[in-house]
Amino acid sequence: QAQLMESGGDSVQAGGSLTLSCAASEYISGTSCMAWFRQAPGKEREGVARFSATIHYAAYADSVEGRFTITQDNDKKTLNLKMTSLTPEDTAIYYCVAYRGRGCPLMTKWGTETVWGLGTQVTVTS
């Protein structure tokens, strides 16, 4: 059974909105540092948004700042990503990731201390 299960991926037109959700298993729920990553065809994986429940802090990649919002439900069992003003450049597989290490470092530093979901496809058409 997957520890993290994403949902909400779809095909939308440019300018549209989508909200992705990630359900955490009992093993993962309660993790205070989680993020959304994405990978587009032919491109490197990119950290999109990071959330620390400990200090209620959210951080975003420059490419999505002001358009995406990451939130976590109070029970820490669901992580959400609200995406607005979508562009074709947002087309990618989006992954929910839990950080099991210490603190909540920059996403570029996340390595083996992570647990990944299987991903959900987001396609934005022009």
Side-chain angles (χ1 to χ4, degrees), residues 5-124:
M5 184 69 72
E6 302 94 337
S7 63
D10 204 344
S11 179
V12 297
Q13 289 190 328
S17 300
L18 275 178
T19 296
L20 306 182
S21 294
C22 171
S25 68
E26 289 298 323
Y27 173 74
I28 297 294
S29 65
T31 298
S32 61
C33 181
M34 297 190 70
W36 288 94
F37 283 69
R38 68 185 181 185
Q39 187 161 23
K43 294 186 177 181
E44 292 188 358
R45 190 172 59 197
E46 173 189 24
V48 174
R50 168 172 62 106
F51 182 80
S52 169
T54 302
I55 57 175
H56 294 279
Y57 174 79
Y60 302 90
D62 290 344
S63 57
V64 306
E65 181 79 52
R67 300 188 299 120
F68 289 13
T69 303
I70 186 171
T71 57
Q72 187 178 42
D73 289 357
N74 288 335
D75 60 7
K76 297 183 181 177
K77 293 182 179 178
T78 304
L79 184 74
N80 305 296
L81 184 69
K82 182 178 180 180
M83 307 183 293
T84 64
S85 301
L86 287 163
T87 73
E89 288 68 39
D90 295 315
T91 294
I93 299 175
Y94 284 71
Y95 299 92
C96 174
V97 187
Y99 183 76
R100 305 289 283 175
R102 188 173 182 178
C104 196
L106 296 174
M107 290 178 285
T108 53
K109 298 186 180 297
W110 291 25
T112 58
E113 313 91 337
T114 54
V115 177
W116 289 70
L118 298 178
T120 186
Q121 177 71 48
V122 172
T123 302
V124 185

